[in-house]
Amino acid sequence: MRKPSLATQILAVNALLIAATAVAAIAASRLSLDDVVGRRQALVLVAGILAVVLVNGIVLRRRFAPLEKLIDVMERIDLARPGVRAEVPEADSDDVLRLVQAFNRMLVRLEDERSRTAAAVLQGQESERARLARDLHDECNQALTGVLLRLQATMQHAPEDIREELRDTKEVATSAMDELLRLARELRPAALDDHGLQAALRTQVGRFTDQTGVPAELRVYDELADLPMHEQTVVYRVVQESLSNVARHAGAQHVIVELGRDHGRPIVRIADDGAGFTARDARAEGIGLVGMRERARLARGRLEVQSSPGRGTVVELRLDRDLWLADAA
């Protein structure tokens, strides 16, 4: 059973106190209800009590209104969509003002801490990816290279009846080495660290075309070379995930990746002419939109996806703290 609000409880207590005071006054004055004058006085007294209770309720409702608004804001708070703040009343008690201001300061601290923690998690993920990529390239790849050399040497002196089997084994080992190199590049693209964002995206788009046969075009209007490394990583991962979704789900005939700025704000857009999807399809297929949006928030940006069946898909990433806060408000 839902309990009454604090304002209702205070109003009820005040009404009981006023009624008890009136009863005590009647008893003290020995007001008689038998004659006409006594009944009139009693009616006036009851009307006065009701009026006092009504005024008391209006005053309490007005005084508790800022608290109700603050409770509504608390219920709507979602740290995954930061920027929501409680409005500070222009004229109210100092206690209410302090409460609202303290709540807003707490939200700022929580959002800053979440942002720092998320950035540390992202950095940790990328560091682990880089370590795995180095291990695959340096250790596993070298081991497979040694196997290939041994197979090549063995084939030169092997009987003819097993030479064909050794040749097939060599092809399998070569395929495994190529797959390891591909995984290493996907885990941490060397071009991003060595040559910058534009070169890494160009390599990624070219690889997408080679693997899928779908023509993909990179249009660079601004290289965004001034972006911090963690934001460049976010851009790269969003493009990577978007192209992966196109290859798996879209059935597109053409893909365009655009890199530039809009009113000074970094923007990346991935557009395809594929099958598109609905919001229900996105949840059912698990196409990674949640992960991309989370990465966008880590870079103080916003990810927008526009898609409908038969009309293709446009994924747009905007990196700007002011825009991020305005979108969350």
Side-chain angles (χ1 to χ4, degrees):
M1 184 176 178
R2 185 176 180 181
K3 294 183 179 180
S5 64
L6 180 60
T8 302
Q9 295 181 35
I10 294 176
L11 181 61
V13 172
N14 288 347
L16 290 175
L17 290 176
I18 294 171
T21 303
V23 171
I26 291 174
S29 62
R30 296 181 181 181
L31 180 64
S32 175
L33 300 179
D34 294 335
D35 55 2
V36 177
V37 176
R39 285 195 293 271
R40 287 179 179 176
Q41 291 177 344
L43 289 175
V44 172
L45 183 60
V46 171
I49 293 173
L50 293 177
V52 171
V53 172
L54 179 60
V55 172
N56 193 15
I58 294 174
V59 172
L60 286 175
R61 183 179 182 85
R62 182 176 179 276
R63 303 304 293 177
F64 276 89
L67 293 180
E68 294 292 338
K69 292 181 180 179
L70 181 59
I71 292 173
D72 291 339
V73 173
M74 289 180 175
E75 292 176 346
R76 290 188 289 108
I77 288 297
D78 182 6
L79 292 180
R81 297 182 62 84
V84 179
R85 297 289 183 269
E87 295 183 2
V88 179
E90 294 182 359
D92 214 307
S93 66
D94 290 339
D95 292 336
V96 174
L97 291 174
R98 289 176 57 197
L99 179 61
V100 173
Q101 292 170 354
F103 177 70
N104 287 338
R105 287 195 298 269
M106 181 192 70
L107 288 180
V108 172
R109 290 195 298 270
L110 288 175
E111 291 171 3
D112 288 344
E113 183 63 28
R114 186 180 187 276
S115 178
R116 286 194 296 269
T117 302
V121 170
L122 178 60
Q123 184 178 1
Q125 289 176 347
E126 293 300 328
S127 298
E128 185 66 15
R129 284 171 176 261
R131 186 188 66 81
L132 289 174
R134 287 194 300 270
D135 290 345
L136 288 175
H137 185 274
D138 296 341
E139 297 182 12
C140 297
N141 191 48
Q142 289 182 3
L144 283 175
T145 301
V147 170
L148 287 174
L149 293 176
R150 294 292 299 272
L151 286 173
Q152 183 65 33
T154 303
M155 287 174 57
Q156 295 178 359
H157 305 286
E160 188 64 29
D161 55 343
I162 64 172
R163 188 171 297 175
E164 186 65 27
E165 295 183 4
L166 291 175
R167 187 176 292 108
D168 293 340
T169 303
K170 180 181 177 182
E171 291 178 357
V172 171
T174 302
S175 298
M177 187 167 62
D178 293 340
E179 182 66 17
L180 284 176
L181 290 175
R182 184 187 68 81
L183 289 175
R185 286 193 298 266
E186 290 185 356
L187 283 171
R188 184 62 190 178
L192 185 61
D193 296 324
D194 299 337
H195 306 291
L197 181 60
Q198 179 183 350
L201 291 181
R202 196 171 299 281
T203 300
Q204 186 181 70
V205 170
R207 189 183 305 122
F208 169 82
T209 300
D210 295 339
Q211 293 176 350
T212 64
V214 178
E217 179 183 357
L218 177 64
R219 300 176 181 176
V220 180
Y221 305 105
D222 190 303
E223 296 184 5
L224 304 182
D226 59 335
L227 289 182
M229 181 53 66
H230 73 279
E231 292 186 2
Q232 293 188 26
T233 302
V234 168
V235 171
Y236 182 87
R237 295 301 181 195
V238 168
V239 174
Q240 183 182 49
E241 185 66 29
S242 298
L243 292 178
S244 177
N245 289 334
V246 172
R248 289 181 295 178
H249 306 291
Q253 301 299 317
H254 190 250
V255 181
I256 298 176
V257 179
E258 296 179 319
L259 190 69
R261 295 182 186 271
D262 182 16
H263 296 89
R265 295 165 174 162
I267 181 173
V268 182
R269 186 181 293 111
I270 306 97
D272 68 75
D273 58 356
F277 57 88
T278 63
R280 178 178 298 180
D281 295 334
R283 293 190 295 268
E285 296 291 342
I287 62 176
L289 293 182
V290 175
M292 286 193 287
R293 285 197 172 97
E294 184 63 26
R295 284 185 176 275
R297 280 191 285 268
L298 296 182
R300 301 298 179 97
R302 180 180 68 185
L303 185 81
E304 291 183 351
V305 180
Q306 299 177 0
S307 183
S308 59
R311 296 187 176 182
T313 302
V314 176
V315 178
E316 186 176 274
L317 173 65
R318 293 176 178 267
L319 301 177
D320 186 83
R321 177 180 173 84
D322 295 334
L323 184 66
W324 173 68
L325 292 175
D327 178 62

